[in-house]
Amino acid sequence: MSPRAGLDAQTLVIAAAELADEQGMEEVTLAALAVKLGVRSPSLYNHINGLQGLRTLLAVHGLEHLYTAMSHAAEGLHGDEAVQAMGQAYVDFARKRPGLYETTLRAPEQEHTALEKAGERILKLIIEVLGSYNLGEEAELHAVRGLRSILHGFASLEHKGGFGMPLDTNISLTRLIQTYIAGIEKMKGADYTG
């Protein structure tokens, strides 16, 4: 059976990302994708390696888009301004693309080079932005984990309706990132070996 004209892996990934954003990642199945594209499920296998293959391609796609949003936001900035802009861009991405954002949360598979590289690009970007704080290699990695945890926690709580009070969440996010920045300033030269 020859592949359908106009159908390729990129088309499948874009359609699956739309499906994830509209209905949630758990609703992204090969059957649902086939219906969205107006094809039979078996024809998808000409372009992807099953559902797991599709999810891996989605993760790469999501990480690439997240990287683009974060790097554009931080471009030309450094220090506190860069961290603030990058953090805002991260949460904005999660707001606008909730399903695609969810695909970015899995740890990169060592056997999948594209997924690993996409994850490494984001890690390197964050390390580069945090470089102006001169934390040292180990403290810098702890700071990366901390920032990612803060941003993911905020984005997840907001997405699930966890902020019910009538306060502007953008102000809350700005203050949270400012508090994080104050904390990493205190990490300079500190010994956290236990």
Side-chain angles (χ1 to χ4, degrees), residues 3-186:
R4 179 181 166 196
L7 199 60
D8 58 21
Q10 186 65 16
T11 302
L12 298 183
V13 168
I14 290 169
E18 290 171 0
L19 195 60
D21 288 336
E22 293 163 4
Q23 299 180 21
M25 194 55 209
E26 59 282 347
E27 298 300 319
V28 177
T29 64
L30 295 181
L33 183 57
V35 168
K36 181 173 180 63
L37 293 169
V39 299
R40 292 182 25 235
S41 293
S43 65
L44 300 178
Y45 287 92
N46 292 318
H47 309 284
I48 56 170
N49 187 16
L51 184 58
Q52 187 58 44
L54 176 63
R55 289 193 172 164
T56 299
L57 291 174
L58 267 172
V60 172
H61 183 71
L63 287 167
E64 288 170 349
H65 280 263
L66 179 58
Y67 171 83
T68 298
M70 292 168 68
S71 64
H72 283 179
E75 193 173 340
L77 304 174
H78 92 284
D80 298 359
E81 287 181 335
V83 174
Q84 190 68 245
M86 189 175 61
Q88 292 282 345
Y90 182 104
V91 172
D92 285 344
F93 177 80
R95 287 171 175 161
K96 293 173 186 164
R97 305 295 311 269
L100 188 57
Y101 168 70
E102 190 177 334
T103 70
T104 69
L105 300 176
R106 56 192 268 188
E109 302 163 5
Q110 290 184 351
E111 303 84 36
H112 198 284
T113 307
L115 184 57
E116 195 173 345
K117 283 183 181 177
E120 284 175 5
R121 280 182 78 199
I122 290 178
L123 177 63
K124 286 178 183 175
L125 173 65
I126 298 171
I127 288 171
E128 183 181 315
V129 168
L130 294 177
S132 65
Y133 296 98
N134 300 312
L135 298 173
E137 190 175 334
E138 186 175 326
E140 204 166 60
L141 292 177
H142 289 299
V144 168
R145 285 181 177 172
L147 182 60
R148 185 175 179 216
S149 298
I150 288 167
L151 297 175
H152 170 65
F154 189 93
S156 296
L157 284 168
E158 184 177 59
H159 179 69
K160 298 292 183 187
F163 299 136
M165 294 182 180
L167 290 171
D168 186 337
T169 56
N170 289 316
I171 294 172
S172 297
L173 178 60
T174 298
R175 290 182 178 181
L176 180 61
I177 296 171
Q178 287 170 342
T179 302
Y180 166 81
I181 291 168
I184 62 172
E185 286 285 355
K186 291 187 178 276

